[in-house]
């Protein structure tokens, strides 16, 4: 997308979601990257704005990985003004996003599908990853801060070269229109984030997340940036970090990593 086209992008109010706005483009490099650029320009005015794209040519995943982004799936990024937000609320945003997607999928999928959350922020359908979440923090010169929450939801297809099982929403079930998927997602995000100023927001999210999590109490392997740990997925701490119980009964609290179930 050219800089001129990006600058001229107009966001419209989202039907039935007061205070939320959206814009759609057919092709983009990365919705997260462009929302970061737009935030640098428009600042806090971009709060509660969604940008969706029909396809991404440079979709970004966690840990500098690529996110395969062909037409047919949902690519969406939302800007949340977090200036002055309490640290606990900020820290729990990845889990809050996963929880909102879980809620959205409950409204979209048949009852026969099992939906679960995988730490830190994957959503699984029948044990396979259907969606990716990428949160990126931006600060501009007057200290206005935003988190760009990027969500890639496999609707029509999924990549077949992933190191984990992957799936998509339409697999073996009724077709789901992209605008239906986005309406469910944006509504669940608005509902989940509506409590963000409450002092118990982080605790509420953590408890709701844990109740839907796969693998708590089970043996797991955690791939860290600098190695690997095995142990029991003991719990989440108050900030949503993973507490791993090791063989010698000590615990390690982990902020970032990829987990694999035994
Ligand atoms: C992951 O690695 O699991 C996270 C993938 C996040 C992909 C989404 S798609 C919309 C937004 N734009 C991007 O470039 N990435 C995120």
């Amino acid at each position: 997308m050219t800089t001129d086209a990006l600058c001229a992008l107009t966001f419209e109010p989202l039907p039935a979601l007061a205070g939320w706005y959206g814009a759609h483009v057919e092709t983009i490099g990365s919705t997260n990257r462009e929302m970061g650029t737009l935030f640098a320009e428009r600042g806090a005015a971009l709060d509660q704005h969604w940008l969706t794209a029909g396809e991404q040519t440079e979709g970004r995943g966690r840990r500098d990985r690529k996110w395969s982004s062909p037409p047919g799936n949902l690519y969406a990024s939302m800007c949340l003004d977090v200036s002055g937000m309490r640290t606990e609320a900020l820290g729990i945003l990845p889990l809050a996003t996963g929880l909102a997607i879980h809620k959205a999928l409950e409204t979209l999928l048949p009852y026969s599908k099992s939906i679960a959350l995988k730490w830190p922020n994957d959503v699984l359908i029948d044990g396979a990853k259907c969606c990716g979440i990428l949160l990126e923090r931006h600060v501009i010169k007057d200290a206005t801060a935003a988190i760009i929450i990027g969500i890639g939801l496999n609707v029509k297809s999924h990549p077949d070269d992933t190191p984990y099982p992957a799936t998509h929403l339409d697999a073996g079930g009724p077709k789901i229109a992209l605008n239906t998927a986005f309406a469910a997602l944006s509504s669940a995000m608005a509902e989940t984030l509506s409590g963000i100023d409450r002092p118990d927001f982080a605790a509420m999210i953590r408890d709701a997340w844990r109740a839907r999590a796969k693998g708590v109490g089970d043996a797991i392997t955690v791939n860290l940036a600098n190695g690997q740990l095995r142990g029991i997925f003991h719990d989440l701490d108050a900030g949503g970090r993973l507490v791993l119980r090791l063989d010698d009964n000590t615990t390690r609290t982990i902020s970032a990593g990829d987990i694999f179930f035994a």
Side-chain angles (χ1 to χ4, degrees), residues 30-32 56 58-62 65 67 74-77 122 129 131-134 150-152:
S30 152
T31 53
N32 257 42
Q56 298 186 119
E58 295 166 59
R60 307 204 295 223
R62 291 171 56 226
R65 291 187 278 237
W67 184 255
L74 181 64
Y75 311 107
S77 295
D122 283 343
K129 176 167 168 161
C131 142
I133 301 171
L134 178 68
I151 299 168

Side-chain angles (χ1 to χ4, degrees), residues 156-233:
K156 296 266 175 296
S157 67
H158 65 268
D160 52 17
D161 57 352
T162 51
Y164 45 78
T167 190
H168 55 279
L169 270 55
D170 281 358
K175 301 280 167 249
I176 296 170
L178 284 180
N179 55 4
T180 306
F182 177 66
L185 173 68
S186 51
S187 155
M189 281 293 281
E191 185 200 322
T192 304
L193 296 178
S194 63
I196 203 160
D197 293 330
R198 290 177 50 163
D200 60 349
F201 177 73
M204 275 172 19
I205 297 292
R206 171 183 173 267
D207 292 350
W209 194 97
R210 193 170 40 180
R212 292 159 179 80
K214 176 176 161 77
V216 180
D218 293 346
I220 57 169
T221 300
V222 189
N223 282 355
L224 305 167
N226 54 356
Q228 196 177 67
L229 285 172
R230 283 182 228 278
I232 302 293
F233 185 168

